[in-house]
Structure formats: structure tokens, C-alpha cells
Amino acid sequence: MGRHEWYTGTRRWRLTALLGVGVAALALVVSLINTLPGGGAGTAGTSRDGDKVHGTPLTPPRRPKPYVGWGFTHTQYSADEGGDTAVERVEQLLAKDGGLPQDQAIMGWGADNPEPVKGRYDFGAMDRRIDFIRRSGGTPVITLCCSPDWMKGGRAGVGNTDWSRTALETAPTPKHYQDFADLAATVARRYPDVRHFLVWNEFKGFWNNARGRWDYEGYTRMYNLVYRALKQVDKDIMVGGPYLVMDSLDPRDQNASDVLKGPWGAMDRRVLDAFAYWNGHRTGADFVVVDGSSYTNDDELLPDEFAATDKLTAVGEWVRQQTHDLPLWWAEYYVEPADGNDDRKGWSEAHRLAVHASGLIAMVKGGADSGFYWNPEEEKGTDCPGCLWTPTDSAGGGKELPMYDLVSWFGRAFPPGTRYETVSVARDDVPNVRVLADRRTVLVVNTLDRTISAQVDGKRFDMQAYEVKWLDR
């Protein structure tokens, strides 16, 4: 959502200052050896065989489905690095829950520049993430973002990557759309067990300042090239877009939509225009991808933090209607506004879990069957609000946290294809609880910061403040 950590945190090769004539000469030789003819760009540590299959791929289904269920996204810091004991602890935690779907970007958010020079690849960090997903038994998903510097007006060469946020979030120039599609195909060949790809991330770099709107023509052109390239690798690969941020505004805003609005605010009409263009001009799509928050662009939770999640339902219903019921994914979803440092530490863990559970319920009611929790793992320490597990920097890290219990339990209880059922809720309890159920399980959320007695599905029970309760039927 434009507020993410992205820097890989990985040490990059630097040519340090050299002293003495002999050392300087040696450096010149090394520089010449590691230079592409005519390109003038360093290629140390890269390889030409980027599409060579890496490691031991998992055996995916012969015909993948256009959904994966409920999982999480790896960000800057994740459990693929750290103390061996802590990393193994997370792997085992994930494995016992079936691995969970796990998403990883190809550049940034833990991954290095995959193609510093055209035709020369560095997938070291990406390989490590994919290996972790494989060892933990997860379903791997790849987000095709972001792009190497030479595709967007920057300098090619190892060590020349500009990791500033502005540079990373710059889209490829139109003349390099095909180069980006070729990179996507290389990634698909390298990891043949990855069967689901998201094209780009939040329209980063596709804002048209001159027109005051999204450059949806440019994004859609690039999307179609990527779609074709991936299908040429394997026609059964699942591809989705447009990964737009479904921003909502104060209904009085000049850009507020009259088409999609509610007590939670009004959608930004410029986002709906972008979605409509992509939807009308896409070559194809196996599923549709969006992201967004329950709060407005001004961080307003309207009319409150629980009722605001109804936006996720409304958006889902609208998207499914526009796409004639393509499977719906939420690549990211947020229910707790961040502070100026992009931290979400203002709520108690019980409060956070209750609102998050309400958000999951809202997405399902809007027709979604896949979603990814943006996992905010800290690099080190023990304080990690909203994290799935404790930081893995020490042997004692990698321990399950309450948010992991919620996300994993939800994924087990309500996988894709679940047939949901209506359950009875006592009239006086309707305003106080959020409920989701199938024939085996009922999820109940207390939306109040106090103890209540609720009657759901014919059973009466007490619930603590902001309690999330699972009932067997």
C-alpha cells in the first residue's frame, strides 16, 4: 500500500578504496573481467543461466486451481534467515499446518536485484526464500515486482542498484515492458513449482501526474505481455492482476465515487476507472487481485473499526460482479492504521486479533477465497506487534504468536471451496458479534471491549473483551 518495508537488508558487494599501484592494477583487471562487452556494467556474482531450475522443486498439482487459500507474504525480514534453531522452529510450525500459501516479490522485500545487467541474473536471495517455502511445505506464490534499474532509466551493473523507495517503486519504461515479461518467464522456468503469479504491485510507478489519474493503459500493456510470456512457459500457470489498492475516501472528496460507497466511505473513482480499463482490455486472467484497507486514505475508521471492515465485503462483491466471478484474491489487507513510522502498535493484541478476524470474515463474505497477511517480522528483539512469530535472530526466536494462530486456523477451517452456512444469533447479540460458519465450524468475534454473554448457533456462552472464539458444530 505504498507503506511497505522493501530494502533487502542483504549486504551488497562494494569495491572498496584501493591503495598502491599494484592493487589498483589488480582492481582494473577484475573490473575488465566482470564487464559485459559494450555494456560497461559490472557483472560480478551473476550468471547467464537464470532460467536453470533451482534446487528440488515441489511436485505441484498437474492442473493448478486459480486459488490457494489464506496465507502470508514474506517481507524484508523473515524466517529464512537467522539462528538455525529458530528457522527450523518456524519451518516446523508451518509444516504442521500444511505450509500455508506464501508470497514473495522478485525484487525488494527480502530479494535482491534479479537481473542487474540484461541477460545476467542474481537469484541468490530469491532462491533462499523459495527454499524456505519448500522446506516448510508451503504453496509458493510470486509477485512480479519490482524491476531492475536498467528497465526504468537507471544504471545497469552489480552495485549500481538504487534501493531508494522512489527508485524501487518506478515502473519499467514502455520500451522495457517486454524485457520485464522476459524476466517473468525466466523466473517461471527457474521455479517450476510456482504455479501462481501476481503481476506487479499496487500500480507502483504507474501514476500519471499530468492527467491526475493512473496510467492504466501502460499497466495493462505490460500485464498482457507478462501474461503471454508466462503462458508460453506453461499454459497451466495461473496469472492474476491488477493488484490495485482499493482506496476509499471521505464521501465529500471530489474524487469520491457515487457507484461504490457505504458507511465506511466512498471508493476513489480513479481506482475504479483503472480497474475497469484493465478488466476490459486484459488478454486474460485466471484470478483477480486487489489490496486495500478498511480505513480511508485519511486513516478514518468509519463508522468504527469493526463496521469499517464492511468495505472489504463491498469491494469484493463489486469486483466479482465486474469480472463475472473470477476467483478473488486479497494480496494485502489492513484493518489497523499505521503511525508515521508505518508501525501498528496502538492496539492491544486482543483488539488487533478481533478486528483482523472481522476483516477476514468480511473478505469471505465479499467472495474472496485467497488472501495474504503482510507479515511484519522485526529484524530482532522480542517486541513484535501483529507478527506471526517472534524474530528469528536468536536461537530462542521463531515462536508462534497469536496472529499466526488466527491466520493458520482460519486457513484450515475455511479453505477455498468452503460452503458457508447461516447460523442463528440472538437478536440482542447481533450488534456485538461477527460470525462466519460452515457445517463444521463457527467463528465468533466479540466486537466490544468488555465481557459479553452471547447466543450463537443455539449455544449461549461468555466471551471476554475482543475475544475470538472457535466453535465445533
Side-chain angles (χ1 to χ4, degrees), residues 7 34 43 94 106 122 127 144 149 156 261 266 278 293 308 344 347 389 408 424 427:
Y7 186 70
N34 294 314
T43 60
L94 290 166
I106 62 170
D122 176 8
D127 289 347
L144 295 167
D149 294 54
K261 59 184 179 179
W278 170 83
S293 63
R344 292 173 171 83
W347 292 351
W389 48 76
S408 60
S424 62
R427 180 180 301 177

Side-chain angles (χ1 to χ4, degrees), residues 28-51:
L28 177 60
V29 173
V30 172
S31 177
L32 290 173
I33 291 174
N34 294 314
T35 299
L36 281 175
T43 60
T46 65
S47 170
R48 292 186 183 277
D49 58 353
D51 58 358

Side-chain angles (χ1 to χ4, degrees), residues 440-460:
R440 298 174 301 176
T441 305
V442 182
L443 170 60
V444 187
V445 181
N446 177 9
T447 66
L448 301 179
D449 190 15
R450 62 175 175 81
T451 300
I452 64 171
S453 175
Q455 183 170 319
V456 177
D457 202 24
K459 304 173 184 176
R460 179 161 291 281

